[in-house]
Amino acid sequence: MGWQVCRLPKCKGAVLNSKVGLCKEHLYLEKLCMVKDCSSERSSSSMNDGSHLACTNADHLQILRDEHARVYEAITSKKARQTESRKKDKVSTSHVTKEDAKVSSTLKYSISRRFLPCVFVLVWSCGVVVNLSEMHSNEAFDGDQGVAALLVKTFEQLGSYPTFFFFDSSCRLYQWLLSAKRGVNESYERLRQLVCFVVDRFHFKEHRNTFCKKECNPFLFPDLTNPNGTPRFNSSIAKSTNSWLTAVSHIVRNVDEVQACLFCTVWWI
């Protein structure tokens, strides 16, 4: 799931209006021709064929008409695939996986909406949601909005670190913390020392590398298993939470960041 973000490539700003799709910094572009290196104002065309996004230059008008037709065809094809999927009694999740809208090399930004590619959710094993954070790169470890930074920020605010952290990519995250990158930030070193990174049981069967089986194996920690061999904690609770989020993603994706977070908060309560 993911809400709308500014349509300009790599911009992380929140949209001021879901229809316009631009952040506060780039809102001035709403009145300008969308073709790169053109500072002319848009034409007064009322046609919904892309010409209303260009200036009066004939070449620019044609560029926007062609781009509008391409995007419309892509959306129509996607809806047809979703309809066919529903006819086969399959749940379509194509609207959940967000990729940056493809931007023509001749345009300043995409004429179609751009969505946040990933929302990272932290959940206690009892099912209580701890934190929900936007990520502009799918589950990236580094950066101010990466997984590592999110964990440090959340646990520091709570005043304590958990003993175990379940994550389908715990092995890769732990390796990243062991690398030279974590030396830049003392908080990463504290995170590595205080928390045991474990791959959840559902995904562990797909992990075959030696490092993962030795360091992040959920079956090697006695505290995670009952005497009869059953799991003591639900290590897949986040997956269940994501399934719920998938069900409401079609609502969240049509509002801005503030409305999306408010909706999720009220719904969870």
Side-chain angles (χ1 to χ4, degrees), residues 35-131:
V35 177
K36 279 185 178 180
D37 301 324
C38 180
S39 57
S40 302
E41 291 191 359
R42 295 180 182 180
S43 64
S44 57
S45 174
S46 59
M47 299 294 291
N48 191 25
D49 59 353
S51 58
H52 62 293
L53 303 173
C55 59
T56 55
N57 184 293
D59 292 336
H60 293 184
L61 288 169
Q62 190 58 47
I63 289 174
L64 266 301
R65 289 193 183 103
D66 293 343
E67 181 66 11
H68 185 275
R70 184 192 68 79
V71 172
Y72 181 79
E73 182 179 357
I75 294 175
T76 304
S77 300
K78 180 179 178 180
K79 288 183 177 180
R81 291 195 301 271
Q82 291 177 340
T83 302
E84 186 64 25
S85 178
R86 285 193 290 269
K87 288 181 179 179
K88 295 179 180 179
D89 295 326
K90 295 181 179 179
V91 178
S92 173
T93 58
S94 58
H95 61 283
V96 180
T97 304
K98 304 294 185 303
E99 297 181 353
D100 282 353
K102 294 181 179 180
V103 182
S104 171
S105 58
T106 58
L107 300 181
K108 298 172 183 174
Y109 56 92
S110 172
I111 66 173
S112 59
R113 295 183 296 176
R114 182 169 167 260
F115 296 94
L116 192 69
C118 178
V119 176
F120 196 85
V121 184
L122 285 177
V123 189
W124 292 125
S125 58
C126 61
V128 175
V129 175
V130 185
N131 198 356

Side-chain angles (χ1 to χ4, degrees), residues 139-179:
E139 296 184 353
F141 299 146
D142 56 352
D144 295 336
Q145 293 181 318
V147 176
L150 171 62
L151 295 180
V152 169
K153 179 181 177 181
T154 301
F155 299 145
E156 287 289 344
Q157 289 179 344
L158 291 175
S160 63
Y161 284 74
T163 305
F164 297 98
F165 175 69
F166 295 106
F167 183 37
D168 56 354
S169 299
S170 278
C171 51
R172 293 195 296 115
L173 175 58
Y174 189 45
Q175 284 179 316
W176 183 84
L177 290 171
L178 288 171
S179 69

